[in-house]
């Protein structure tokens, strides 16, 4: 029997190892997208669809996660991520899409299971641990963005995509104790029946908030380096700005959920309006200004909500769920429908680029969604417990 301290650190290590795999392999595609497009000879809309495929998988797979044992399905998910990284790297243009779908399916499971994992393993420290989870997500994003182009320069497209399998293998090894002693073959424990959340307006508020923030985030990860490059800068500079944006998100990802959980109720709507509104400020600056100083400041404005908003969405799932069973159902619903909303973003921006041969229309689209996110965030913060 593990003592409490060992149990805590083992649970934290598992959470960290799984989380590192949830962003880096797909966020590395943003800086790499032009090289991939040229290598495989695909259009901008098809390249945008490539980054939408994991999000479609996030949405599709999220709905069924609640019906399986968390231990069993998370192990399968890690294997799917590793297999997907092999297939997308070495099986041609078709394998590129199939591999992204496999990875998306595996990542979808992690996305859904981790909030309920936190609710179960750290019931008295949910805000703190959601901050830690959000921190590791941002670290994963930073690794993906920072290493994407250097890996392509050093290894070429295929090996650069394949190298991320190392993180999946580390997670599988660390997760191995969870499948010992026949845990893997045990059936899922029976839980109290819970009613469907589809008629719950508070659940839908959280779901819409998750979807809108994902739309803005994945449009940013996929297209921002190329948007910057279209202003006369190099793709490397655009990627560097994306990395700066992610670094700006780091402290907010860590402190945001803690800050709002300790804030007086009357100040919370103002906090939501301020943090979501930074997306609008950042994209207005990108639309209107071209100087290096303005673009750098816009990265700070976008990085603040990039780090804070996703962590708040996860915190809402954990905090506004009446129990663990509700938490995994709400997580599945919010991330299922939410990521289907988000999946349309990279594709639509790519399509608008093909139609207009520029990024202005795509920036306008992201701006509109950012404004809707601001409004939705205020109402979501006020919603009651989901039961």
């Amino acid at each position: 029997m593990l003592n409490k301290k060992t149990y805590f650190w083992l649970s934290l290590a598992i959470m960290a190892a799984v989380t590192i795999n949830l962003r880096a392999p797909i966020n590395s595609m943003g800086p790499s997208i032009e090289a991939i497009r040229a290598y495989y000879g695909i259009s901008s809309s098809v390249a945008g669809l490539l980054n939408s495929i994991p999000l479609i998988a996030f949405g599709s797979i999220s709905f069924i996660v609640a019906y399986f044992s968390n231990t069993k399905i998370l192990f399968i998910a890690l294997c799917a991520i590793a297999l997907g990284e092999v297939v997308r790297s070495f099986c041609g243009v078709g394998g590129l899409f199939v591999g992204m779908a496999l990875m998306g399916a595996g990542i979808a499971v992690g996305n859904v299971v981790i909030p309920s994992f936190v609710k179960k393993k750290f019931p008295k420290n949910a805000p703190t641990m959601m901050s830690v989870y959000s921190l590791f997500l941002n670290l994963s994003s930073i690794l993906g963005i920072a290493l994407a182009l250097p890996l392509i320069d050093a290894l070429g497209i295929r090996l650069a995509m394949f190298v991320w399998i190392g993180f999946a293998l580390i997670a599988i090894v660390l997760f191995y104790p969870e499948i010992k002693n026949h845990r893997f073959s045990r059936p899922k424990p029976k839980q109290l029946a819970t009613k469907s959340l589809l008629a719950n307006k508070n659940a839908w508020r959280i779901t819409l908030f998750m979807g809108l923030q994902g739309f803005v985030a994945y449009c940013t990860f996929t297209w921002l380096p190329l948007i910057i490059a279209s202003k006369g800068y190099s793709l490397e500079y655009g990627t560097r700005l994306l990395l700066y944006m992610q670094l700006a998100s780091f402290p907010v990802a860590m402190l945001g959920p803690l800050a709002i959980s300790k804030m007086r109720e009357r100040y919370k709507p103002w906090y939501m309006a301020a943090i979501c509104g930074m997306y609008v400020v950042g994209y207005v600056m990108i639309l209107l200004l071209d100087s290096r100083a303005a673009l750098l400041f816009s990265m700070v404005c976008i990085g603040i909500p990039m780090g804070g908003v996703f962590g708040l969405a996860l915190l809402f799932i954990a905090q506004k769920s009446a129990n663990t069973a509700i938490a995994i159902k709400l997580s599945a619903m919010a991330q299922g429908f939410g990521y289907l909303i988000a999946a349309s973003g990279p594709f639509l921006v790519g399509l608008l680029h093909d139609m207009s041969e520029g990024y202005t229309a795509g920036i306008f689209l992201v701006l509109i969604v950012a404004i809707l996110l601001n409004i939705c965030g205020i109402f979501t913060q006020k919603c009651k417990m989901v039961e």
Side-chain angles (χ1 to χ4, degrees), residues 336-358:
F337 287 112
Y339 279 117
L340 289 178
I341 294 170
S344 62
F347 171 73
L348 289 175
V349 173
L351 182 62
L352 288 171
H353 176 266
D354 285 342
M355 293 171 62
S356 64
E357 297 185 356

Side-chain angles (χ1 to χ4, degrees), residues 15 21-22 34 55 90 131 144 197 212 214 275 286 348 354 356 369:
M15 183 184 77
N21 286 277
L22 303 186
E34 185 62 23
L55 303 182
F90 302 114
S131 292
L197 300 181
L212 294 177
I275 196 167
I286 288 175
L348 289 175
D354 285 342
S356 64
V369 175

Side-chain angles (χ1 to χ4, degrees), residues 206 315-322 380-381 383-386:
I206 295 170
L315 181 63
F316 290 152
I317 293 172
Q319 271 196 334
K320 295 184 183 292
S321 300
T380 303
Q381 185 277 320
C383 74
K384 298 179 181 179
M385 190 72 69
V386 178

Side-chain angles (χ1 to χ4, degrees), residues 136-155:
F136 277 111
L137 277 177
N138 277 269
L139 177 60
S140 179
S141 292
I142 288 171
L143 286 172
I145 295 165
L147 297 180
L149 293 181
L151 285 173
I152 290 175
D153 291 340
L155 303 174

Side-chain angles (χ1 to χ4, degrees), residues 32-47 50 92-93 96-97 157:
S32 309
I33 201 72
E34 185 62 23
I36 291 170
R37 192 176 71 82
Y39 185 84
Y40 289 101
I42 56 179
S43 67
S44 293
S45 56
V46 174
L50 182 64
V93 66
L96 186 66
F97 286 85
I157 290 289

Side-chain angles (χ1 to χ4, degrees), residues 41-238:
I42 56 179
S43 67
S44 293
S45 56
V46 174
L49 180 61
L50 182 64
N51 255 22
S52 292
I53 283 178
L55 303 182
I56 295 170
F58 291 177
S60 304
I61 300 298
S62 295
F63 294 113
I64 66 172
V65 174
Y67 297 97
F68 295 88
S69 160
N70 283 1
T71 300
K72 186 181 298 185
I73 198 168
L74 189 53
F75 178 77
I76 294 171
L78 292 170
C79 293
I81 293 171
L83 178 61
E85 285 162 345
V86 174
V87 172
R88 75 167 178 173
S89 302
F90 302 114
C91 295
V93 66
L96 186 66
F97 286 85
V98 172
M100 291 294 283
L102 282 169
M103 290 170 56
I107 293 169
V109 173
N111 286 336
V112 174
V113 169
I114 292 298
S116 63
F117 181 90
V118 170
K119 184 88 173 176
K120 179 180 179 182
K121 301 287 189 178
F122 313 103
K124 296 181 180 179
N125 298 296
T128 301
M129 297 314 298
M130 290 310 295
S131 292
V132 174
Y133 171 49
S134 192
L135 187 66
F136 277 111
L137 277 177
N138 277 269
L139 177 60
S140 179
S141 292
I142 288 171
L143 286 172
I145 295 165
L147 297 180
L149 293 181
L151 285 173
I152 290 175
D153 291 340
L155 303 174
I157 290 289
R158 291 187 172 186
L159 288 177
M161 292 190 291
F162 178 68
V163 76
W164 300 106
I165 196 173
F167 291 102
L169 295 177
I170 291 170
I172 290 170
V173 169
L174 285 175
F175 194 71
Y176 179 73
E178 289 290 311
I179 62 171
K180 291 175 65 178
N181 301 323
H182 305 291
R183 286 193 185 106
F184 184 77
S185 60
R186 291 177 191 170
K188 183 183 179 183
K190 290 186 177 180
Q191 296 178 331
L192 295 175
T194 56
K195 62 183 179 181
S196 172
L197 300 181
L198 294 178
N200 189 304
K201 65 180 182 180
N202 292 322
W204 277 111
R205 286 178 180 176
I206 295 170
T207 297
L208 184 59
F209 183 72
M210 175 67 80
L212 294 177
Q213 68 82 27
F215 187 105
V216 177
Y218 282 96
C219 286
T220 303
F221 286 131
T222 304
W223 293 113
L224 187 61
L226 290 175
I227 290 172
I228 301 301
S230 72
K231 292 177 175 288
Y233 298 98
S234 67
L235 181 59
E236 288 76 11
Y237 182 70

